[in-house]
Amino acid sequence: MRPRDLAALDFARVTARVADFAVSPAGQERCRALLPVTERAIADVALERAWQMFRLLEQYGEPPLATVADVRPHLRSAAHEGFVLDGPTLVQVRTTLAALRDVGAYFRRHAAQAAALGDLPARLVAFPALHAALQRALDDDGGVLDAASDALARVRASIRRLRDTVTRKLEELIARRGLADVVADSYVTVRNSRFVVPVRVAAASQLPGVVQDRSVSGETLFVEPLFAVELNNQLLLAVREEGLIVQRILTDLTALVGAEHEAITASIDALVEADALSAAARFARAYRCTRPRFSDGAVALRAARHPGLLFTGRPVTPIDLLLPAERRVLVVTGPNTGGKTVALKTLGLCALMAQSGLLSPAAEGAQLPCVAAVYADVGDEQSIERNLSTFSAHVTNLSAITAAGVYGALVLLDEPGVGTDPEEGAALALGLIDWFDAHGARLALTTHYTPVKLAALDDPRCTVAAVDFDVDTLTPRYRLAYDSIGRSLALPIARRLGLPEAILTTAAAAQPEHARLLAAALARLERSRAELEALRDAAAADARTAAAERGEAERLAGELRERRRSAWQEELRSARAFVRQLKDEGRARLDALRADQRAAFARFTREQEAAIAARETADAGPAAAPAVPTLPGRVQIGDTVEVAERGIQGELLELDGARAWIQRGALRFEVPAAQLRRVGAAAPPRAQVVSAPVESSGGTGELSLIGLRAPEAVQRLASFLDRAVLAGEEHVRIVHGVGSGALRRAVQDYLATSPYCAGYRGGEPGEGGAGVTVATIMG
């Protein structure tokens, strides 16, 4: 496709409007970069994907796309050894991973309803372990949390203790009565990263210490008392140690991100594609677009609307654009201001949109050929800079089109031959029709020239349509009347626009006789066509009324038959119910007779069973003490262990029922104990913490949280997952109810970060619907 033709049809305006519906900057850029393709199979797949995305939006709502930054450049940086991403950038990565998880879950839930989008669930890969590590280590602003490392927690506790100590002692110093004339103000501040007190310059010698700064006025010195020097030194060293630990944690997190950078980048590409598809679907929903089908040559666009007019927000009159497969030329005639050029551009834009994977602003059943190119010679091509007249500019463009190769292309010509002698212009237009048809192009053109109109009306290659125009009011109706040619109506339009009558009288007298006769004949034909159309519409209305009346009669007859059947069935049901009642009464009397015998036999059986049980108890002796459960002997605190199926290695720090904590570098991970295996010699044993899972009155397969607040519910959910893992459950059902949705969000947020949860979904209608979440336990 030539950029010139795309610009002539305002295709960039369409893609820019589609981009407005995208969520992410990368998705918007992908929409703006849309271009039509010429391979029919590729274009058909793109259309089907857009159509199925539209249906998903209509049936299940929009995917949970979020405004995420494009972190792909940061991922490439993280892959370089020694490069460290800062905290805010890692938070952007974490947000992107959450979007991948949520959007992937959406497409996995609805994969059966959108086969053409079946590649997206596999490409939208979630990274739960990496997301959980970033979640534990960083707050929302990118700061490293104490929970990221035991060493960091210790040094920060030391920093807080030292700060409290030095500030308390300095505040005590300021509060002394004897220093009221020495201290300039009653506050403790920081200069050069050291805690100091403000001292008057005149009394500075009365407080031994180190001067760290001086006020702007010069009347106050900021003095670090001698007793605070050591405390400030310790604090400074602790702060530097904190910085080193934070840097090590960021380095470890960057390494984890860098190790997955290729897989994450591929998933982000799929996320951007999903955003662009959703934007195309939202665009289609906003402008009531439908899925066109690629034909073998026919054009059938009913109730088509020009996209550019839709964007203005004003009402748009739809137009039918029809061209049978056996005809290759559409000739549109009619007066100026009637909408001929709009019809031409609507056809071109719909073709470009369909071959770009965008749905068409037309009624259901739209058909278009998949063309090799769209060439347009539309509008005034006059160029002062290039010294071209209007005619010369059009001919230059037509020469470039003919040289480009037009076989299988769609060519749009607006008033070919304009700008020169009408007879020569008409001859040129007829020559263009013959040439483009002979070279295998499909052609749509507008014309005012009478010879072109008459020739097209008699040419089996051409379909002729006239822009409908109200001759009495001289206003366009913006629809095409097929197999009719329209009058140009130059003189009546000029009269309506205020041209002096004397000029119009002279112009009418100057018209040749054959032109006046043709105009009169066309006027009579138009009146006849209008009358026939009115009769046709009246006949169609009568047919619709008759069909409705027949339908109503058939409905009433059906209701009568149904009532007769219902009465007969009711009588049959009553007879059957009477027979069942007789049978039930007979069985009840028989059961009553047998009940006494069964009761006596049951008493005898219970007495004998009790006697046997008492004898067995006497013979068995003292009951054996229950066995005390022990931890598996293959791992112990201090071992170097590996988490099965994840490849994460580290030192085993703690065991707590079904949970375990391991240390890897400066990071600490929480993992399922059942997945640990020993890979290295044990270090000197630490204190082992083992606790039994919390017991519950319910089974491990279902947990009800209805009536609880979110913190208590999450606590119970954690214990419940412990028991479910120990019991070997594969799926569990968590009942949280609908309510305001806060409890459901708390449950699903916890499941998203739990190492035991491989995934989760909302309940199906038979499982409890929106009031239930079904989780898959990590195997």
Side-chain angles (χ1 to χ4, degrees), residues 103-350:
V103 177
Y106 173 89
F107 284 104
R108 278 188 286 276
R109 281 196 302 272
H110 308 306
Q113 288 77 30
L117 304 175
D119 62 308
L120 288 177
R123 292 168 58 200
L124 289 165
V125 180
F127 299 85
L130 178 56
H131 181 270
L134 294 170
Q135 186 72 26
R136 284 192 300 270
L138 301 171
D139 61 22
D140 292 342
D141 297 324
V144 179
L145 298 170
D146 292 0
S149 165
D150 290 341
L152 181 62
R154 285 194 301 271
V155 74
R156 283 182 172 172
S158 175
I159 290 172
R160 287 191 293 270
R161 186 175 60 255
L162 288 169
R163 282 196 180 121
D164 290 344
T165 301
V166 69
T167 54
R168 177 173 50 79
K169 291 191 173 186
L170 290 177
E171 287 170 352
E172 291 174 354
L173 175 68
I174 291 172
R176 291 180 189 174
R177 292 175 178 253
L179 292 180
D181 296 332
V182 176
V183 177
D185 209 340
S186 57
Y187 64 87
V188 176
T189 186
V190 177
R191 291 293 186 274
N192 298 328
S193 301
R194 305 178 77 85
F195 284 92
V196 296
V197 294
V199 176
R200 293 185 175 87
V201 173
S205 59
Q206 299 182 37
L207 182 63
V210 179
V211 177
Q212 294 292 347
D213 200 357
R214 185 170 185 160
S215 68
V216 176
S217 65
E219 297 179 358
T220 303
L221 298 177
F222 297 97
V223 177
E224 177 186 14
L226 292 179
F227 71 84
V229 171
E230 181 59 26
L231 290 173
N232 275 327
N233 288 342
Q234 294 177 20
L235 180 59
L236 186 60
L237 292 175
V239 170
R240 289 182 179 175
E241 183 181 358
E242 176 197 21
L244 293 174
I245 296 174
V246 167
Q247 189 68 11
R248 286 200 300 271
I249 291 172
L250 294 177
T251 300
D252 288 346
L253 292 173
T254 301
L256 291 175
V257 172
E260 301 280 5
H261 81 283
E262 291 183 352
I264 299 175
T265 298
S267 293
I268 293 175
D269 292 340
L271 184 65
V272 173
E273 183 176 348
D275 189 13
L277 281 169
S278 298
R282 295 189 192 100
F283 173 90
R285 182 171 59 186
Y287 298 112
R288 305 193 315 279
C289 298
T290 62
R291 190 217 195 281
R293 303 286 175 181
F294 288 118
S295 67
D296 292 330
V299 174
L301 290 173
R302 298 189 181 276
R305 291 153 293 140
H306 189 286
L309 297 179
L310 290 175
F311 302 158
T312 65
R314 297 193 299 268
V316 178
T317 303
I319 191 170
D320 293 343
L321 294 164
L322 307 173
L323 184 64
E326 65 273 12
R327 300 190 178 188
R328 307 183 64 84
V329 182
L330 175 63
V331 179
V332 182
T333 67
N336 290 324
T337 74
K340 300 191 303 298
T341 304
V342 170
L344 212 63
K345 287 187 173 183
T346 301
L347 173 59
L349 269 178
C350 286

Side-chain angles (χ1 to χ4, degrees), residues 19 24-34:
S24 66
Q28 294 170 355
E29 184 60 32
R30 187 183 181 99
C31 292
R32 283 190 288 267
L34 280 174

Side-chain angles (χ1 to χ4, degrees), residues 527-550:
R527 283 194 295 272
S528 298
R529 180 182 63 80
E531 292 172 357
L532 290 173
E533 285 187 352
L535 292 173
R536 182 194 62 192
D537 293 342
D542 291 342
R544 288 193 296 270
T545 302
E549 290 175 351
R550 284 196 302 271

